[in-house]
Amino acid sequence: MKNQLAFVLSGGGSRGALQVGALRALYEAGLHPDILVGTSVGAINAAYLALNGSNLPSLDKMAVVWREAAKADLLPANYLWLTVRTLFRRPAAYTAQHMRDFYIAHGISPELKFKDIQDVRLVLVASDLNSGKPVLYGLDEQDRILEGLLASTALPPWVIPYERDNCLLMDGGVVSNLPIEPAMAVGATEIIALDLADPPQEPLSTNRGFGPFLNKLVFTVEQRQQDLELALAEARGIPITHIHLRSKEVVPLWDFQHTDELIAEGYEIARQEIEKRHGYSHSALGQKIGGIVRSIKSKFTRKKAQI
C-alpha cells in the first residue's frame, strides 16, 4: 500500500498563524502531504492550501490572507456580550455572515466541491451535537467545501450551531480538536500533527471568574480527546510527529493582531523540531529528513572524491 502522509491541523483561533510558519518549515524540508485534515482554523488553513496548491508560493499568499483577517475582525473581542445574547436566544448573525463573505472573497466559492481539488485530499472536521460524533466533509467528493468550512468553524458565541441534514453542526474542536482519528479514517499511514492547544497558565486560585474556569474546562476536554487519539494511532502502528506550537506570549483566540510574530514563531518551532528529529528512525518525519541529509552527504562525498 502506498504511503499516505497526512498533515493534521488543529483548531486554535488566531493562533492558526503559527501553522502557516510551521508549514513553511515542513515544505522547505521537502515534506508534502497526500492528505490535509483540519479542524476549525486548521480547516481554514487546510482548505486554502488544498485549493491554491500545497506549496511554498501558496504559503506566501496565505500569510497575506492572515494579515487581511486581522483587519476584518473575524472574531470580535466582545465575546462575553455575544454569549449573553446567545443565552437569551438573541444570537448575532453578523459574525457568521462576515466569515462566509470572507471565505468567498478569498476563493472558496459556494460552487466549489471536494472533487475540484486535484493534488491532495482534503478533509474538514465538524461536530454533530445530535449524535455526539464528528462529521467529515470530503468523504463524499460532491460535498461543498464552503459548507464544510462553515460547519468546522461554527464556534460559539461568535457563530451558533446550525441544523442541516438532521445534524446540529458546530466547530470540529468539540469532538476532535487535533483530528488524528479522522486522518486515520481516510487512510493516513503517517501523520505530522500541528497542535495549537495552549494550556491555561493562570491558576483558578488567583482568578475564580467564569472565563478562566471555562478555559480550563475546554482545555481538559480537548486534552483528553487528544490523548485518546494519540493512543489509538500508537495501537495501530501509525507513526506521528506531534509538533506543539506554543507562542511565547499568550494570544487570545480572537486576537488576530499578532499574525507576523506568530508565523515567525511557528516557523522556528517546526524548524527546530525537524532538526531535533532528523536522526530519529522511528519518526515519520525523521525518516524523510534523514533521507534528505544522507542524500546531501552522499553528493558531498562524491564531489570530494572527484576533487
Side-chain angles (χ1 to χ4, degrees):
M1 183 176 67
K2 180 181 179 292
N3 255 11
Q4 293 288 297
L5 173 62
F7 285 3
V8 166
L9 310 183
S10 86
S14 65
R15 295 191 296 274
L18 289 160
Q19 291 176 345
V20 180
L23 286 164
R24 174 171 292 279
L26 294 174
Y27 286 138
E28 286 182 356
L31 296 162
H32 297 273
D34 303 293
I35 306 168
L36 284 164
V37 184
T39 288
S40 196
V41 74
I44 299 175
N45 286 337
Y48 189 90
L49 272 183
L51 288 170
N52 293 279
S54 186
N55 51 47
L56 287 170
S58 287
L59 288 174
D60 293 332
K61 297 175 184 176
M62 188 188 295
V64 173
V65 174
W66 268 89
R67 295 183 190 106
E68 292 177 6
K71 299 175 184 176
D73 193 25
L74 290 180
L75 298 179
N78 61 335
Y79 67 98
L80 292 177
W81 173 239
L82 293 171
T83 302
V84 171
R85 286 181 61 97
T86 301
L87 289 173
F88 283 93
R89 298 181 181 275
R90 298 183 62 188
Y94 166 77
T95 303
Q97 185 61 46
H98 190 38
M99 292 177 70
R100 186 178 190 276
D101 292 343
F102 187 84
Y103 298 153
I104 293 174
H106 289 88
I108 304 175
S109 69
E111 297 78 23
L112 274 175
K113 297 181 179 181
F114 284 82
K115 70 179 179 63
D116 298 319
I117 299 171
Q118 302 299 320
D119 299 326
V120 67
R121 183 169 188 185
L122 174 67
V123 176
L124 308 179
V125 183
S127 304
D128 175 19
L129 299 186
N130 286 338
S131 68
K133 295 179 180 180
V135 175
L136 305 186
Y137 284 87
L139 296 184
D140 184 344
E141 65 176 13
Q142 296 300 322
D143 288 343
R144 296 188 183 274
I145 296 172
L146 181 60
E147 180 184 329
L149 196 54
L150 290 170
S152 186
T153 58
L155 178 64
W158 293 278
V159 180
I160 63 169
Y162 64 95
E163 292 188 80
R164 181 163 295 171
D165 299 328
N166 297 317
C167 295
L168 184 59
L169 298 167
M170 72 168 288
D171 190 284
V174 172
V175 291
S176 186
N177 195 53
L178 186 64
I180 291 168
E181 183 183 18
M184 293 189 292
V186 296
T189 58
E190 48 186 313
I191 293 171
I192 298 175
L194 301 182
D195 182 6
L196 299 173
D198 199 3
Q201 303 298 322
E202 192 175 51
L204 287 180
S205 58
T206 61
N207 190 339
R208 296 182 180 276
F210 179 72
F213 165 76
L214 183 60
N215 286 340
K216 287 186 178 292
L217 176 62
V218 170
F219 174 74
T220 299
V221 173
E222 289 179 352
Q223 188 63 45
R224 180 59 175 162
Q225 292 171 353
Q226 180 176 294
D227 290 346
L228 290 172
E229 293 192 41
L230 285 167
L232 180 62
E234 183 178 3
R236 292 182 180 177
I238 306 293
I240 293 184
T241 297
H242 185 190
I243 300 179
H244 299 265
L245 297 173
R246 307 283 187 272
S247 56
K248 295 175 183 176
E249 301 295 329
V250 176
V251 177
L253 61 84
W254 60 86
D255 184 358
F256 285 79
Q257 301 303 315
H258 305 274
T259 289
D260 287 326
E261 303 99 295
L262 292 176
I263 290 175
E265 285 188 64
Y267 176 83
E268 190 60 24
I269 292 169
R271 186 190 64 78
Q272 291 180 10
E273 192 72 15
I274 289 169
E275 289 181 356
K276 183 175 71 176
R277 291 174 177 263
H278 74 74
Y280 182 43
S281 62
H282 296 293
S283 162
L285 181 57
Q287 290 171 1
K288 289 180 178 287
I289 299 301
I292 293 170
V293 171
R294 287 191 294 272
S295 176
I296 292 171
K297 286 182 177 179
S298 175
K299 289 178 181 178
F300 177 78
T301 301
R302 288 198 300 270
K303 187 173 182 181
K304 187 174 179 182
Q306 290 171 0
I307 294 172

